[in-house]
Amino acid sequence: MTSADHYAPRHHVPRHHDDPARNALGLVGELDFKQTLITLWRRRYYILLLTAIAAGGAWLLVSRIQPVYTATAEVMIDSRRTRIVDIKEILSQLSPQLVTVSSEVEVLQSRTLATRVADALNLYDDPEFNPALRPEQPSLFDFSSLRSVATQLRDMLSLESPTPIGPTPAEAEASKRAEVIDRLRSGLGVAAVPQSMVIRISYRSPNPAAASRIANAFAEHYITEQLEAKFQAVRYATNWLNERLEGLRRDLAASEQAISAYRATHNLLESHGASTTQQKLTEQNSRLVETQSKRAEVAARIARLEAVGRAGRGMAASDELLDSSFLSRLKEQEATLSGQASDLASRYGERHPQIAKIRAELGEIRGKISTEIARLTQGLRSELAVLQDREQSMSREIREMESRSFSQNNAEIGLRELEREAQANRILYETFLNRFKETDQQETIQQPDARIISFSERPRSPTSPKKFMLILAATLGGMMSALALVLLVEKFDNTIRTKDQLEQLTGLPALGLVPQISGPAGNVAAYLVERPASSYAEAFRIACFAIRHPPDRPEPKTLVITSTVPDEGKSLTSLSIGRTASMLGLRVLLVDADMRRASISAKVGKASDLSLAEVLTEGVDFRSAVIRDPLTGLDILTATAAGRKPVDMLAMADKVHQTMQAMRDAYDLVIFDCPPVLSVADVQVLARHADATLFCLRWNATPRESVLAAVRMLKDAKANVAGVLLTRVNVRKHASYGYRDMGYYYGKHRNYYTN
């Protein structure tokens, strides 16, 4: 296997698997808390400046604001009443409900109440409320000239200039009063205290005495307005009741006269309750019912006695014969004899002579019972006949009385109608008369539905503006805005500052950080040789070691150095790496392949008549065109700016490959200073045939999108990118970012270097 086979172009395997396109806008990852603090500390002067501007602006604004004082009075909706006389009110009292409190809050804010206060305090002559009385004060910004120009333009554009019609004196006075009332209401604040019946009345004014006076005036006139509303309601009710009573009195007198005339016409006596005929009829009906009931009872007794007589036994009628003592004795004798007969029959038999005697006595007693029952029955029949005659007589009398009652009822119908009308008029008149007397007494004992529980006192300190709080809020707001702005700028920063950012973005290893050095161009180029113990020289030694000893491939002999865009330190890097390798004892050739902007000759202060263009186009041996670096043993093949002859490396790819192979055989390390990737296509040809490619990237300057585009072009050209080198690093500024990489230690441990 040849040396060229070892360095066949191949892609470098990225160390990170993140998608580079995803991080193109700098969204590499969220800043951790420590890094955020470092960022804020680095930008502390900007933060302090913005905070001071915000605090100063707030102080200037607050100092020009007129202080305002707030006075507060409190009233309470009071449902309790002093009952001197127990009468109903004309205007009902307020119910202690939250809806009522909300309604009274609106009343306190009404324009009517504000007008009463303005009239009572004569605020129309107060300059605080009447702007026409204020002395004219110079304004901070004078817009009079602008208003004059605007008026002229309006007059020029208008075809007709209508003559304004001024207000009448009455309209002007009304407008002035309305403006005063509007200003008065603008300072008023009314709010209900939660979960209570208390209403808090506050007033804001630049004058503390005026604020207290107006707050108390609103509370007092609110109470007065309630009393006046009740007085007006009672007075209106009294007048109306008085007028109504006169009419009711006339109606009642006319009704009573009509009743008296009707009685005289129909010969009706005045009675309390029912008429005499009706009373007699009722009594007669009661007696008739009683007689009929008694007759039915006697008839029922007769029917039962007859049934017993027909049965031939008297024992069953014992319940009807209890009223007769004789029948009771006969019944007892019958029961005694029956018991004796039964006893003898059980002992001696039915044929015993004594039994026959007892039975004969029983027959005699039973005959007497039957005779007594017949006598009683006859007496009940006589009583029944008497009751029937009495019933018939009562029925005839009742019919006659009903006839008389009917004729009287017809006459009393009209009487009752007149009496009802009179009674209604009497009740209505008495009701209105009682209410009139109550209302007349109520007019002198009216009480408001609210009372003042706290008068306002003159405020001792202004309530607004809260100068300290406003300045503090503005200061904190300015600080937070500054912090947010700094973090936002940091978040959307589109450049690269650290090795970690570089490797995460490109997927390529970072070979080091090269410090920024200042001075004339010649001094800068010779800085590495003149100060070999500097951090600048140490950075190139580290990079050179990383390039010559890769971990996964043989040592390269041809190295292409390029960048994304011009002015990234690519040529100085090429010269510095070449000089470093030469100082280490290697045979090194530095080829200036940037034929459009050749700069190696100017940096070393030496030029040659032959260049890379002649080597490629005319077949000149590169050894004859090489010059020696005056400071080291480095061989240099220079190029002329713009070139003597145009060279198209794409068309001469084979010639380029042959030349690179010849240089590889003659030197230990061949370095090609190539143009930027995004500017010229030559670098793609050189990088394709080189053993390794070093990509230079300017610290905190090159956009990430450009870096990704350049890396993508190198990979498309199948270049073997050895790594990326961050150049022109501001060590002091880099250390302030808090990145703990080699750039940080270049500035932290300066005693290790001789800069």
Side-chain angles (χ1 to χ4, degrees):
M1 181 179 296
T2 63
S3 175
D5 295 332
H6 283 289
Y7 296 97
R10 62 187 181 274
H11 289 287
H12 177 73
V13 179
R15 296 186 180 183
H16 300 277
H17 299 285
D18 293 343
D19 184 7
R22 182 171 63 88
N23 300 322
L25 295 178
L27 302 178
V28 177
E30 296 293 337
L31 296 175
D32 57 10
F33 181 71
K34 182 178 180 181
Q35 188 59 44
T36 301
L37 293 179
I38 294 174
T39 301
L40 297 178
W41 177 252
R42 185 177 68 253
R43 306 280 187 176
R44 60 188 180 277
Y45 297 110
Y46 296 102
I47 297 173
L48 292 176
L49 178 61
L50 292 176
T51 303
I53 292 174
W59 178 84
L60 182 63
L61 179 63
V62 168
S63 63
R64 298 184 61 85
I65 298 176
Q66 187 177 24
V68 176
Y69 296 84
T70 302
T72 303
E74 292 182 347
V75 297
M76 185 179 73
I77 306 300
D78 193 359
S79 60
R80 297 173 296 177
R81 289 292 178 269
T82 302
R83 297 296 184 183
I84 300 175
V85 290
D86 190 9
I87 56 177
K88 295 182 180 179
E89 296 181 348
I90 295 298
L91 188 62
S92 61
Q93 66 184 34
L94 297 178
S95 58
Q97 298 178 356
L98 295 180
V99 176
T100 302
V101 177
S102 300
S103 301
E104 293 306 300
V105 168
E106 297 299 324
V107 172
L108 281 163
Q109 294 175 335
S110 65
R111 193 176 189 85
T112 302
L113 186 60
T115 303
R116 292 171 62 98
V117 173
D119 294 340
L121 300 180
N122 193 22
L123 299 179
Y124 307 106
D125 296 334
D126 190 340
E128 180 182 349
F129 300 95
N130 192 348
L133 302 178
R134 300 176 187 172
E136 186 175 356
Q137 298 179 354
S139 176
L140 181 63
F141 303 101
D142 187 8
F143 297 102
S144 58
S145 59
L146 295 179
R147 286 195 294 268
S148 177
V149 173
T151 302
Q152 294 177 3
L153 291 176
R154 186 172 63 251
D155 294 340
M156 292 173 60
L157 295 176
S158 61
L159 298 179
E160 296 181 359
S161 179
T163 303
I165 300 176
T168 63
E171 292 175 346
E173 182 65 20
S175 176
K176 183 187 72 171
R177 293 174 64 88
E179 185 176 359
V180 170
I181 293 171
D182 289 338
R183 289 182 179 274
L184 175 63
R185 296 180 65 195
S186 64
L188 178 66
V190 182
V193 178
Q195 305 300 323
S196 72
M197 304 300 293
V198 176
I199 300 176
R200 185 172 290 122
I201 305 171
S202 60
Y203 196 81
R204 303 178 301 277
S205 174
N207 187 346
S212 176
R213 184 176 69 255
I214 294 174
N216 289 332
F218 268 97
E220 292 170 353
H221 283 279
Y222 168 67
I223 302 299
T224 303
E225 187 180 56
Q226 283 191 345
L227 289 175
E228 290 181 355
K230 289 196 173 187
F231 284 142
Q232 291 176 1
V234 171
R235 187 175 296 111
Y236 174 79
T238 303
N239 295 334
W240 184 84
L241 287 173
N242 192 20
E243 294 175 359
R244 184 61 179 151
L245 278 173
E246 291 297 328
L248 292 175
R249 188 181 295 110
R250 291 191 296 268
D251 293 343
L252 179 58
S255 299
E256 291 178 347
Q257 290 175 3
I259 291 174
S260 179
Y262 190 87
R263 286 183 181 277
T265 302
H266 293 85
N267 195 21
L268 295 175
L269 297 176
E270 185 175 357
S271 61
H272 300 283
S275 63
T276 305
T277 304
Q278 188 67 30
Q279 293 176 357
K280 291 181 179 180
L281 180 60
T282 302
E283 293 175 359
Q284 194 67 12
N285 279 326
S286 299
R287 288 196 294 269
L288 176 60
V289 172
E290 184 180 354
T291 302
Q292 289 176 344
S293 176
K294 190 173 182 180
R295 176 185 57 79
E297 180 182 354
V298 172
R301 292 178 65 188
I302 292 173
R304 294 192 62 184
L305 287 175
E306 289 179 347
V308 172
R310 287 193 297 270
R313 297 287 300 272
M315 295 303 293
S318 60
D319 57 339
E320 301 292 340
L321 304 177
L322 293 177
D323 292 340
S324 175
S325 59
F326 178 67
L327 285 177
S328 298
R329 290 195 301 272
L330 291 177
K331 181 179 177 183
E332 293 176 358
Q333 292 175 5
E334 182 184 13
T336 302
L337 291 176
S338 296
Q340 292 177 359
S342 298
D343 183 45
L344 291 174
S346 62
R347 288 189 297 171
Y348 303 109
E350 293 292 335
R351 296 182 179 182
H352 192 276
Q354 189 67 25
I355 293 176
K357 182 181 178 180
I358 292 174
R359 287 179 177 173
E361 291 178 358
L362 280 173
E364 183 180 357
I365 290 173
R366 288 173 180 170
K368 292 179 181 180
I369 290 174
S370 298
T371 302
E372 183 63 21
I373 289 174
R375 188 184 65 79
L376 291 174
T377 301
Q378 185 61 35
L380 290 174
R381 285 196 182 96
S382 299
E383 184 180 357
L384 179 60
V386 173
L387 292 173
Q388 289 175 346
D389 293 340
R390 186 182 301 170
E391 181 179 354
Q392 292 175 359
S393 176
M394 288 181 178
S395 298
R396 286 193 300 271
E397 291 179 1
I398 288 173
R399 285 193 295 271
E400 293 175 357
M401 294 173 67
E402 286 178 347
S403 178
R404 291 195 301 270
S405 176
F406 179 75
S407 60
Q408 289 181 355
N409 287 339
N410 290 334
E412 289 179 353
I413 290 175
L415 178 62
R416 285 195 294 271
E417 183 177 355
L418 293 175
E419 289 177 343
R420 285 194 298 270
E421 182 178 356
Q423 182 66 18
N425 290 335
R426 185 178 296 105
I427 294 174
L428 188 60
Y429 175 75
E430 292 176 353
T431 302
F432 273 74
L433 181 60
N434 293 333
R435 191 56 177 158
F436 173 76
K437 293 180 180 180
E438 293 176 355
T439 304
D440 188 54
Q441 294 296 324
Q442 193 180 48
E443 187 172 358
T444 60
I445 57 172
Q446 287 298 326
Q447 297 179 8
D449 293 317
R451 60 189 178 93
I452 301 176
I453 61 175
S454 176
F455 284 95
S456 66
E457 297 181 356
R458 178 172 178 170
R460 296 180 178 84
S461 59
T463 54
S464 66
K466 302 289 187 182
K467 295 185 178 181
F468 176 76
M469 296 302 297
L470 288 177
I471 295 175
L472 179 61
T475 304
L476 293 178
M479 181 181 294
M480 297 304 296
S481 300
L483 294 176
L485 181 61
V486 167
L487 293 178
L488 188 65
V489 170
E490 187 74 16
K491 181 66 178 177
F492 289 95
D493 184 17
N494 200 24
T495 60
I496 298 174
R497 299 194 190 98
T498 67
K499 292 177 60 178
D500 292 337
Q501 291 178 352
L502 179 60
E503 292 179 349
Q504 192 171 10
L505 178 68
T506 62
L508 300 173
L511 302 183
L513 284 78
V514 180
Q516 171 77 35
I517 56 177
S518 58
N523 294 337
V524 171
Y527 190 86
L528 182 142
V529 179
E530 295 175 354
R531 299 187 180 183
S534 64
S535 58
Y536 180 81
E538 186 65 29
F540 281 108
R541 281 193 288 270
I542 294 174
C544 186
F545 179 83
I547 293 170
R548 293 185 61 246
H549 301 283
D552 53 355
R553 58 183 179 273
E555 179 180 345
K557 300 190 67 177
T558 55
L559 175 65
V560 168
I561 299 179
T562 185
S563 63
T564 304
V565 293
D567 199 27
E568 291 192 291
K570 158 188 66 66
S571 298
L572 184 60
T573 299
S574 300
L575 178 60
S576 298
I577 290 180
R579 284 177 169 175
T580 300
S582 178
M583 293 169 65
L584 294 176
L586 299 178
R587 292 178 300 150
V588 183
L589 173 63
L590 173 60
V591 180
D592 191 351
D594 189 356
M595 290 179 286
R596 288 177 173 79
R597 294 184 59 182
S599 61
I600 297 296
S601 297
K603 293 181 184 302
V604 299
K606 190 175 182 180
S608 173
D609 294 335
L610 299 176
S611 64
L612 180 62
E614 285 75 22
V615 173
L616 295 177
T617 58
E618 299 178 3
V620 176
D621 187 5
F622 70 90
R623 295 178 182 83
S624 60
V626 169
I627 62 174
R628 180 61 58 89
D629 179 22
L631 298 181
T632 62
L634 174 65
D635 290 341
I636 301 174
L637 178 59
T638 62
T640 304
R644 292 193 179 94
K645 296 181 181 180
V647 178
D648 187 358
M649 290 191 180
L650 293 177
M652 304 174 62
D654 294 338
K655 181 63 176 177
V656 170
H657 178 66
Q658 293 174 4
T659 303
M660 292 180 67
Q661 186 63 36
M663 292 177 178
R664 180 186 293 113
D665 295 338
Y667 290 91
D668 297 328
L669 178 63
V670 181
I671 302 173
F672 292 88
D673 178 21
C674 296
V677 178
L678 299 181
S679 302
V680 184
D682 296 350
V683 65
Q684 300 182 45
V685 177
L686 295 171
R688 184 182 185 89
H689 297 286
D691 297 336
T693 299
L694 177 63
F695 189 70
C696 294
L697 180 63
R698 184 173 178 177
W699 179 84
N700 198 28
T702 308
R704 299 186 182 188
E705 296 88 344
S706 301
V707 175
L708 289 174
V711 171
R712 190 176 297 110
M713 291 181 65
L714 290 175
K715 290 184 177 181
D716 293 341
K718 298 182 180 180
N720 183 19
V721 182
V724 186
L725 189 66
L726 274 175
T727 63
R728 304 184 65 175
V729 178
N730 188 330
V731 176
R732 183 186 299 270
K733 192 174 182 180
H734 180 81
S736 66
Y737 283 94
Y739 303 132
R740 300 288 176 163
D741 51 14
M742 60 183 67
Y744 172 80
Y745 292 103
Y746 287 158
K748 183 70 173 178
H749 304 288
R750 298 177 184 176
N751 54 346
Y752 281 93
Y753 311 105
T754 305
N755 294 323

